[in-house]
Amino acid sequence: VQLVESGGGLVQAGGSLGLSCVVTGTILIINDLAWYRQAPGKQRELVAAITSEGVTNYAASVKGRFTSARDNAKNTVYLQMNGLKPDDTAVYYCNANDGLALHWGQGTQVTVSP
């Protein structure tokens, strides 16, 4: 199972970025999909999670600014980030739960300049 994130980059404060994560390989079922992030010197934290039914949950720090969605037919999860702040600067990772294990992507860098 592989997770490949894309869409990171450099953006000015107040700008937007969209991330995608494709799950490939032999995986029978994908339950929850989630986005985490890790800033330098900080622990990895949950940003958004979405169930197989599309129910979402967001960290308080991003609620109202970030939106996650998934396309089950494409085994893809998305994270639309609006109103970005310098504090959002981090490596963003996607995570998939297949009921047996948690699988992680390699991460994509998001940098927000003041």
Side-chain angles (χ1 to χ4, degrees), residues 8 17 77:
L17 279 176
V77 62

Side-chain angles (χ1 to χ4, degrees), residues 1 22 28 36 43-44 54 60 65 74 78 82 104 107:
V1 177
V22 181
L28 296 179
Y36 286 75
Q43 288 188 333
R44 191 172 295 189
R65 300 187 296 123
K74 296 181 179 180
Y78 306 94
N82 299 325
W104 291 90

